[in-house]
Amino acid sequence: MDQQCPHSAGLNQTLVTEFLILGFSQSPSLQMLLFSAFFCLYTAALSGNLLIVVAISASPALHTPMYFFLVNLALVDILCTSTILPKLLGIMVARRTISYGGCMAQLFFFTWSMGAELLLFSAMAYDRYVAICRPLHYSALMGPPICAFLAGVVWAISLTNTSVHTGLMLRLTFCRSNVVEHFFCEIPPLLKLSCSPTHLNEAMAFAADVFLAVGNFSVTVLSYGFIVASILRIRSAEGKRRAFSTCSSHLLVVSMYYSTVIYTYIRPASSYTLNKDRVVSVIYTSVAPTLNPLIYTLRNRDVKVMLRRLLSCS
């Protein structure tokens, strides 16, 4: 399970080769309640996002930039929840351990999905800005090549980001404790376990948070500032209602996601606390990916019509 730590052999410390995920409550009754809740969240997130992908892919009428980015968002949410929740459900009913390699893989794919989601929100905000503020230039500014380029940038930047963070984590030595005070392998709780200096890791996490979370949130808020100003100039009440309807669902998701991610990563790892921070993490790992399909489909007539057709055919 453990090996002698070469840098700290004199202190009788061992090198961690697997981690113990503390998770949530140890009470059997509460554990089953939490298992049921997370199982429902995962089922809803997986089925809801898969339905969005299938519905949009099967309908040529929905092959527009807005729905193109919505498919990317659904794929990101599938990646996020499938990285976290199956393992969480497993540790609730079986062993609470995860191998060192499994932990690093979980960190890699989760950080990839989180970065991609933050960047996608900006791309979606830009799409709405062009659609509402510059409608006559929409087809030129948001044509298929530009949409493909934006999506490629989103996935490439987020992949680079997670590669840097995972690489920095791999260079650390873990020989103090193997107990992860969280329900999955995330940067802040892992840094607390390191017996190597973590200043570079924390600096890079802070920089990434400023760029990916604060920076993209600023871009999104600026885009919606222009959008609101443009909507207020619409004379018809019906036009205002339709414009606000297309943007309000996006703003709801963005506000919830950005605020929790910024809260988690803008602080030093030493300030991480189990009870408070794992509740915040549940929002952006489980709740947001589950709500995204519901928010977008319940407030979008075109998607609802296509989903009804798919379900009636089956």
Side-chain angles (χ1 to χ4, degrees):
M1 181 179 294
D2 295 328
Q3 299 172 352
Q4 193 69 26
C5 179
H7 301 292
S8 308
L11 297 178
N12 196 28
Q13 293 180 317
T14 54
L15 182 64
V16 171
T17 57
E18 66 176 19
F19 293 97
L20 177 68
I21 305 295
L22 206 55
F24 294 91
S25 173
Q26 303 293 321
S27 168
S29 56
L30 187 56
Q31 193 85 314
M32 288 308 300
L33 181 63
L34 288 170
F35 179 90
S36 301
F38 280 107
F39 180 79
C40 291
L41 282 172
Y42 182 54
T43 303
L46 192 62
S47 58
N49 284 293
L50 281 174
L51 273 175
I52 283 183
V53 173
V54 173
I56 294 175
S57 300
S59 175
L62 299 181
H63 292 178
T64 64
M66 182 176 74
Y67 296 113
F68 171 75
F69 290 119
L70 186 54
V71 166
N72 277 267
L73 183 64
L75 293 174
V76 167
D77 286 336
I78 291 171
L79 174 63
C80 176
T81 52
S82 297
T83 299
I84 305 299
L85 296 185
K87 183 60 181 178
L88 173 61
L89 294 172
I91 66 173
M92 285 182 172
V93 296
R95 296 180 70 229
R96 290 178 171 267
T97 58
I98 183 172
S99 68
Y100 177 85
C103 185
M104 294 301 111
Q106 191 178 62
L107 174 71
F108 178 88
F109 286 108
F110 166 70
T111 308
W112 190 11
S113 67
M114 181 176 64
E117 186 139 355
L118 293 169
L119 290 163
L120 273 172
F121 284 147
S122 288
M124 294 170 75
Y126 173 71
D127 171 66
R128 292 299 84 204
Y129 160 76
V130 176
I132 293 174
C133 299
R134 305 187 65 183
L136 298 179
H137 301 89
Y138 185 72
S139 58
L141 293 174
M142 293 302 295
I146 295 178
C147 290
F149 172 75
L150 288 174
V153 168
V154 165
W155 288 100
I157 291 178
S158 56
L159 178 59
T160 302
N161 175 66
T162 191
S163 298
V164 169
H165 287 297
T166 307
L168 288 174
M169 193 67 70
L170 288 169
R171 59 186 281 274
L172 299 180
T173 302
F174 297 93
C175 49
R176 286 177 178 164
S177 170
N178 72 331
V179 180
V180 178
E181 295 183 347
H182 205 10
F183 61 92
F184 70 101
C185 293
E186 194 176 13
I187 292 174
L190 286 178
L191 292 183
K192 289 188 70 175
L193 301 180
S194 173
C195 55
S196 305
T198 60
H199 305 298
L200 181 57
N201 298 70
E202 293 193 14
M204 290 302 295
F206 180 84
D209 195 45
V210 169
F211 171 71
L212 291 175
V214 179
N216 282 284
F217 183 61
S218 301
V219 170
T220 303
V221 169
L222 184 64
S223 297
Y224 277 103
F226 286 116
I227 289 171
V228 170
S230 180
I231 289 174
L232 293 177
R233 290 195 293 268
I234 299 176
R235 295 189 177 184
S236 69
E238 176 64 16
K240 288 182 179 179
R241 188 196 66 77
R242 290 186 63 186
F244 271 119
S245 177
T246 60
C247 300
S248 57
S249 57
H250 185 202
L251 275 175
L252 178 62
V253 174
V254 163
S255 300
M256 176 175 61
Y257 199 86
Y258 277 119
S259 59
T260 52
V261 171
I262 291 172
Y263 169 80
T264 300
Y265 286 88
I266 205 74
R267 302 167 300 143
S270 57
S271 64
Y272 177 86
T273 55
L274 173 63
N275 292 328
K276 184 167 58 176
D277 287 83
R278 68 181 175 186
V279 173
V280 174
S281 296
V282 167
I283 295 174
Y284 58 79
T285 60
S286 308
V287 177
T290 304
L291 289 180
N292 280 347
L294 297 175
I295 290 172
Y296 284 109
T297 55
L298 290 177
R299 300 184 63 86
N300 192 300
R301 184 176 60 187
D302 296 332
V303 176
K304 283 192 289 186
V305 169
M306 190 59 204
L307 285 175
R308 287 196 198 101
R309 289 177 184 172
L310 282 176
L311 295 175
S312 64
C313 290
S314 59

